[in-house]
């Protein structure tokens, strides 16, 4: 029933937009991709894995006409607090950072964690850590859009 209500009041694109945080830049995607490891270190995120997704799908016989990089990043303290509080959070881990070409711009995106943060508000330590992580992730994303 809830599914039908959501579809009735919110078209799929709106739903995706609600769960996505994006920033755009005119910088070339490869220049930004080279900065991700540096910025992760600068903002205290462990860079766990990098996927050149356009190459992965092409190697499987499905080439696409845009570059897409996906990064798995983590701040272990917050991850541990999340998992100790509720192991269901594991499906959202690690944090993902995506960089892709879109209509002549480069988009940097991640999951919008604001709704998730509401779910942990009763645990002050977790809420404060997760809020801080999300703020830092937004700062990292914005730092990738500058020409430094």
């Amino acid at each position: 029933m809830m599914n039908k209500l959501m579809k009735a009041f919110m078209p799929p694109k709106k739903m995706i937009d609600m769960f996505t945080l994006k920033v755009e830049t005119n910088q070339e995607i490869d220049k930004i991709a080279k900065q991700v490891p540096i910025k992760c270190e600068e903002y205290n995120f462990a860079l766990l894995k990098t996927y050149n997704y356009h190459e992965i799908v092409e190697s499987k016989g499905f080439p696409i006409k845009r570059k897409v990089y996906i990064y798995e990043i983590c701040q272990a303290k917050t991850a541990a607090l999340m998992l100790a509080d509720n192991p269901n959070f594991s499906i959202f881990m690690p944090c993902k950072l995506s960089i892709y070409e879109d209509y002549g711009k480069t988009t940097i995106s991640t999951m919008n964690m604001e709704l998730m943060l509401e779910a942990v508000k009763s645990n002050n330590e977790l809420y404060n850590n997760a809020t801080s992580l999300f703020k830092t992730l937004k700062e990292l994303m914005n730092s990738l859009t500058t020409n430094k």
Side-chain angles (χ1 to χ4, degrees), residues 15-121:
M15 223 180 289
I16 290 170
D17 288 345
M18 186 172 81
F19 289 104
T20 306
L21 176 71
K22 299 189 282 190
V23 293
E24 292 181 338
T25 180
N26 290 318
Q27 287 189 67
E28 291 183 23
I29 192 168
D30 291 324
K31 181 180 178 186
I32 294 171
K34 288 178 184 168
Q35 288 296 308
V36 171
I38 296 163
K39 295 297 184 177
C40 282
E41 189 172 325
E42 184 179 323
Y43 286 89
N44 298 312
F45 282 93
L47 177 55
L48 305 176
K49 185 82 173 160
T50 301
Y51 300 95
N52 296 351
Y53 229 72
H54 51 284
E55 292 175 4
I56 292 170
V57 295
E58 183 175 18
S59 74
K60 306 293 183 199
F62 301 98
I64 59 175
K65 294 182 181 186
R66 69 175 59 161
K67 290 183 179 178
V68 179
Y69 297 96
I70 301 171
Y71 303 88
E72 292 181 342
I73 62 176
C74 179
Q75 284 186 344
K77 179 181 180 183
T78 305
L81 288 169
M82 286 276 213
L83 293 171
D85 187 71
N86 187 337
N88 288 321
F89 286 119
S90 63
I91 64 170
F92 302 108
M93 296 178 166
C95 291
K96 302 260 188 327
L97 182 67
S98 176
I99 302 173
Y100 55 89
E101 297 171 317
D102 197 29
Y103 300 105
K105 299 218 180 237
T106 299
T107 300
I108 304 163
S109 68
T110 194
M111 182 180 74
N112 186 344
M113 296 177 201
E114 287 178 2
L115 290 173
M116 294 291 272
L117 291 173
E118 291 300 313
V120 300
K121 235 178 181 169

